[in-house]
Amino acid sequence: MNERSSVARGRGRSERGTALLETALTLPLLLLVSVSIFEFGRAYQTWQILTNAAREGARVAVLPNPASGSVQARVQQYMVSGQLPNAASATVSVNRNATISLGAGTATASQVTVNYPFQFIVLQPVARLIVANSTLGTPLTMTASALMRNESQ
């Protein structure tokens, strides 16, 4: 009887050790996948805000004689209301002399391009832990552009 109880105790310790080892191996991977889902979701949301900000700027740019700086102000206002951090670090360029095709002809258009430095919150420090001189720690430049036909005077 004594022999059986010691075998059962040994088997229990072995199974606990195996479960602990499996947890130690899978938990970091599970956390990395979970954090990646949140980080890339945040990146996609930022890209959507930039796209909509470019559209809002283009809506102002197509008006006849828009006030100087009104396009940039509208883009910045949209980015701030979209709660983007460091919205002031975005660059906005406006080209009011672009052309678009309309059937067989062309028309003048305005193109608004927004560049924004996006930085992952968790993934970049993790990449630096794995590879010390990783370039994943630098911000990504997200670009969104909108092109709309100018209104006639």
mmCIF file of all heavy atoms in Angstrom, residues 48-72:
data_model
loop_
_atom_site.group_PDB
_atom_site.id
_atom_site.type_symbol
_atom_site.label_atom_id
_atom_site.label_comp_id
_atom_site.label_asym_id
_atom_site.label_seq_id
_atom_site.Cartn_x
_atom_site.Cartn_y
_atom_site.Cartn_z
ATOM 1 N N GLN A 48 -8.229 55.066 -40.083
ATOM 2 C CA GLN A 48 -9.572 55.524 -40.432
ATOM 3 C C GLN A 48 -9.753 57.003 -40.091
ATOM 4 O O GLN A 48 -10.348 57.764 -40.864
ATOM 5 C CB GLN A 48 -10.632 54.698 -39.704
ATOM 6 C CG GLN A 48 -10.820 53.325 -40.260
ATOM 7 C CD GLN A 48 -11.908 52.571 -39.518
ATOM 8 O OE1 GLN A 48 -12.043 52.702 -38.306
ATOM 9 N NE2 GLN A 48 -12.670 51.785 -40.244
ATOM 10 N N ILE A 49 -9.260 57.424 -38.945
ATOM 11 C CA ILE A 49 -9.369 58.831 -38.550
ATOM 12 C C ILE A 49 -8.593 59.703 -39.531
ATOM 13 O O ILE A 49 -9.068 60.763 -39.942
ATOM 14 C CB ILE A 49 -8.883 59.036 -37.102
ATOM 15 C CG1 ILE A 49 -9.850 58.364 -36.123
ATOM 16 C CG2 ILE A 49 -8.745 60.515 -36.769
ATOM 17 C CD1 ILE A 49 -9.354 58.301 -34.702
ATOM 18 N N LEU A 50 -7.403 59.262 -39.937
ATOM 19 C CA LEU A 50 -6.610 60.036 -40.902
ATOM 20 C C LEU A 50 -7.322 60.135 -42.248
ATOM 21 O O LEU A 50 -7.323 61.201 -42.881
ATOM 22 C CB LEU A 50 -5.234 59.399 -41.099
ATOM 23 C CG LEU A 50 -4.281 59.470 -39.929
ATOM 24 C CD1 LEU A 50 -2.979 58.768 -40.269
ATOM 25 C CD2 LEU A 50 -4.023 60.894 -39.515
ATOM 26 N N THR A 51 -7.912 59.047 -42.690
ATOM 27 C CA THR A 51 -8.641 59.058 -43.962
ATOM 28 C C THR A 51 -9.808 60.027 -43.905
ATOM 29 O O THR A 51 -10.016 60.829 -44.826
ATOM 30 C CB THR A 51 -9.142 57.641 -44.297
ATOM 31 O OG1 THR A 51 -8.017 56.774 -44.376
ATOM 32 C CG2 THR A 51 -9.897 57.612 -45.608
ATOM 33 N N ASN A 52 -10.557 59.992 -42.822
ATOM 34 C CA ASN A 52 -11.689 60.911 -42.684
ATOM 35 C C ASN A 52 -11.225 62.358 -42.534
ATOM 36 O O ASN A 52 -11.880 63.275 -43.035
ATOM 37 C CB ASN A 52 -12.564 60.499 -41.502
ATOM 38 C CG ASN A 52 -13.329 59.224 -41.777
ATOM 39 O OD1 ASN A 52 -13.557 58.863 -42.923
ATOM 40 N ND2 ASN A 52 -13.701 58.530 -40.729
ATOM 41 N N ALA A 53 -10.101 62.575 -41.860
ATOM 42 C CA ALA A 53 -9.559 63.927 -41.722
ATOM 43 C C ALA A 53 -9.153 64.474 -43.092
ATOM 44 O O ALA A 53 -9.385 65.652 -43.394
ATOM 45 C CB ALA A 53 -8.371 63.934 -40.770
ATOM 46 N N ALA A 54 -8.553 63.637 -43.934
ATOM 47 C CA ALA A 54 -8.183 64.062 -45.288
ATOM 48 C C ALA A 54 -9.435 64.408 -46.093
ATOM 49 O O ALA A 54 -9.455 65.393 -46.840
ATOM 50 C CB ALA A 54 -7.372 62.976 -45.984
ATOM 51 N N ARG A 55 -10.488 63.631 -45.942
ATOM 52 C CA ARG A 55 -11.752 63.927 -46.645
ATOM 53 C C ARG A 55 -12.346 65.244 -46.176
ATOM 54 O O ARG A 55 -12.834 66.044 -46.981
ATOM 55 C CB ARG A 55 -12.759 62.802 -46.410
ATOM 56 C CG ARG A 55 -12.450 61.551 -47.162
ATOM 57 C CD ARG A 55 -13.523 60.506 -46.927
ATOM 58 N NE ARG A 55 -13.088 59.234 -47.472
ATOM 59 C CZ ARG A 55 -13.358 58.070 -46.936
ATOM 60 N NH1 ARG A 55 -14.073 57.999 -45.830
ATOM 61 N NH2 ARG A 55 -12.936 56.961 -47.492
ATOM 62 N N GLU A 56 -12.320 65.474 -44.873
ATOM 63 C CA GLU A 56 -12.837 66.737 -44.337
ATOM 64 C C GLU A 56 -12.030 67.919 -44.873
ATOM 65 O O GLU A 56 -12.589 68.955 -45.219
ATOM 66 C CB GLU A 56 -12.803 66.726 -42.806
ATOM 67 C CG GLU A 56 -13.835 65.827 -42.173
ATOM 68 C CD GLU A 56 -15.258 66.315 -42.379
ATOM 69 O OE1 GLU A 56 -15.494 67.532 -42.296
ATOM 70 O OE2 GLU A 56 -16.125 65.467 -42.634
ATOM 71 N N GLY A 57 -10.719 67.757 -44.938
ATOM 72 C CA GLY A 57 -9.876 68.812 -45.496
ATOM 73 C C GLY A 57 -10.166 69.041 -46.964
ATOM 74 O O GLY A 57 -10.184 70.187 -47.438
ATOM 75 N N ALA A 58 -10.399 67.973 -47.714
ATOM 76 C CA ALA A 58 -10.708 68.105 -49.147
ATOM 77 C C ALA A 58 -12.046 68.808 -49.350
ATOM 78 O O ALA A 58 -12.204 69.580 -50.299
ATOM 79 C CB ALA A 58 -10.717 66.732 -49.810
ATOM 80 N N ARG A 59 -12.995 68.574 -48.456
ATOM 81 C CA ARG A 59 -14.290 69.262 -48.564
ATOM 82 C C ARG A 59 -14.127 70.773 -48.436
ATOM 83 O O ARG A 59 -14.826 71.542 -49.081
ATOM 84 C CB ARG A 59 -15.251 68.754 -47.498
ATOM 85 C CG ARG A 59 -15.776 67.388 -47.786
ATOM 86 C CD ARG A 59 -16.833 66.975 -46.771
ATOM 87 N NE ARG A 59 -17.282 65.636 -47.080
ATOM 88 C CZ ARG A 59 -17.284 64.628 -46.221
ATOM 89 N NH1 ARG A 59 -16.902 64.829 -44.979
ATOM 90 N NH2 ARG A 59 -17.690 63.436 -46.586
ATOM 91 N N VAL A 60 -13.198 71.192 -47.597
ATOM 92 C CA VAL A 60 -12.934 72.626 -47.440
ATOM 93 C C VAL A 60 -12.120 73.137 -48.630
ATOM 94 O O VAL A 60 -12.361 74.235 -49.133
ATOM 95 C CB VAL A 60 -12.202 72.908 -46.112
ATOM 96 C CG1 VAL A 60 -11.776 74.355 -46.011
ATOM 97 C CG2 VAL A 60 -13.078 72.521 -44.932
ATOM 98 N N ALA A 61 -11.178 72.334 -49.110
ATOM 99 C CA ALA A 61 -10.282 72.768 -50.186
ATOM 100 C C ALA A 61 -11.005 72.967 -51.513
ATOM 101 O O ALA A 61 -10.576 73.783 -52.328
ATOM 102 C CB ALA A 61 -9.157 71.751 -50.364
ATOM 103 N N VAL A 62 -12.098 72.244 -51.760
ATOM 104 C CA VAL A 62 -12.787 72.360 -53.047
ATOM 105 C C VAL A 62 -13.674 73.595 -53.133
ATOM 106 O O VAL A 62 -14.127 73.964 -54.219
ATOM 107 C CB VAL A 62 -13.634 71.101 -53.353
ATOM 108 C CG1 VAL A 62 -12.756 69.882 -53.443
ATOM 109 C CG2 VAL A 62 -14.764 70.909 -52.367
ATOM 110 N N LEU A 63 -13.919 74.258 -52.020
ATOM 111 C CA LEU A 63 -14.749 75.462 -52.040
ATOM 112 C C LEU A 63 -14.041 76.578 -52.786
ATOM 113 O O LEU A 63 -12.805 76.662 -52.783
ATOM 114 C CB LEU A 63 -15.057 75.917 -50.611
ATOM 115 C CG LEU A 63 -15.868 74.947 -49.754
ATOM 116 C CD1 LEU A 63 -15.956 75.458 -48.325
ATOM 117 C CD2 LEU A 63 -17.253 74.755 -50.344
ATOM 118 N N PRO A 64 -14.792 77.460 -53.441
ATOM 119 C CA PRO A 64 -14.159 78.594 -54.111
ATOM 120 C C PRO A 64 -13.489 79.517 -53.092
ATOM 121 O O PRO A 64 -14.102 79.910 -52.101
ATOM 122 C CB PRO A 64 -15.308 79.310 -54.811
ATOM 123 C CG PRO A 64 -16.442 78.349 -54.816
ATOM 124 C CD PRO A 64 -16.226 77.426 -53.664
ATOM 125 N N ASN A 65 -12.244 79.826 -53.308
ATOM 126 C CA ASN A 65 -11.448 80.738 -52.471
ATOM 127 C C ASN A 65 -11.511 80.418 -50.975
ATOM 128 O O ASN A 65 -11.972 81.241 -50.182
ATOM 129 C CB ASN A 65 -11.909 82.190 -52.694
ATOM 130 C CG ASN A 65 -11.836 82.578 -54.154
ATOM 131 O OD1 ASN A 65 -10.878 82.242 -54.832
ATOM 132 N ND2 ASN A 65 -12.864 83.262 -54.635
ATOM 133 N N PRO A 66 -11.033 79.252 -50.562
ATOM 134 C CA PRO A 66 -11.024 78.968 -49.119
ATOM 135 C C PRO A 66 -10.002 79.851 -48.412
ATOM 136 O O PRO A 66 -8.995 80.256 -48.995
ATOM 137 C CB PRO A 66 -10.619 77.492 -49.048
ATOM 138 C CG PRO A 66 -9.852 77.253 -50.293
ATOM 139 C CD PRO A 66 -10.441 78.170 -51.334
ATOM 140 N N ALA A 67 -10.266 80.168 -47.179
ATOM 141 C CA ALA A 67 -9.353 81.004 -46.397
ATOM 142 C C ALA A 67 -8.015 80.287 -46.217
ATOM 143 O O ALA A 67 -7.957 79.065 -46.141
ATOM 144 C CB ALA A 67 -9.972 81.326 -45.040
ATOM 145 N N SER A 68 -6.964 81.081 -46.142
ATOM 146 C CA SER A 68 -5.632 80.519 -45.973
ATOM 147 C C SER A 68 -5.533 79.749 -44.653
ATOM 148 O O SER A 68 -5.902 80.263 -43.604
ATOM 149 C CB SER A 68 -4.601 81.642 -45.999
ATOM 150 O OG SER A 68 -3.321 81.129 -45.764
ATOM 151 N N GLY A 69 -5.077 78.509 -44.709
ATOM 152 C CA GLY A 69 -4.921 77.690 -43.511
ATOM 153 C C GLY A 69 -6.187 77.005 -43.045
ATOM 154 O O GLY A 69 -6.158 76.267 -42.060
ATOM 155 N N SER A 70 -7.311 77.229 -43.733
ATOM 156 C CA SER A 70 -8.569 76.624 -43.286
ATOM 157 C C SER A 70 -8.574 75.111 -43.489
ATOM 158 O O SER A 70 -9.172 74.384 -42.695
ATOM 159 C CB SER A 70 -9.757 77.255 -44.007
ATOM 160 O OG SER A 70 -9.657 77.065 -45.405
ATOM 161 N N VAL A 71 -7.901 74.638 -44.531
ATOM 162 C CA VAL A 71 -7.845 73.191 -44.784
ATOM 163 C C VAL A 71 -7.066 72.508 -43.664
ATOM 164 O O VAL A 71 -7.525 71.522 -43.071
ATOM 165 C CB VAL A 71 -7.221 72.896 -46.157
ATOM 166 C CG1 VAL A 71 -7.043 71.402 -46.357
ATOM 167 C CG2 VAL A 71 -8.060 73.500 -47.269
ATOM 168 N N GLN A 72 -5.880 73.042 -43.367
ATOM 169 C CA GLN A 72 -5.053 72.469 -42.307
ATOM 170 C C GLN A 72 -5.769 72.527 -40.964
ATOM 171 O O GLN A 72 -5.705 71.582 -40.178
ATOM 172 C CB GLN A 72 -3.703 73.196 -42.220
ATOM 173 C CG GLN A 72 -2.764 72.889 -43.349
ATOM 174 C CD GLN A 72 -3.021 73.741 -44.596
ATOM 175 O OE1 GLN A 72 -3.982 74.500 -44.681
ATOM 176 N NE2 GLN A 72 -2.150 73.601 -45.581
#
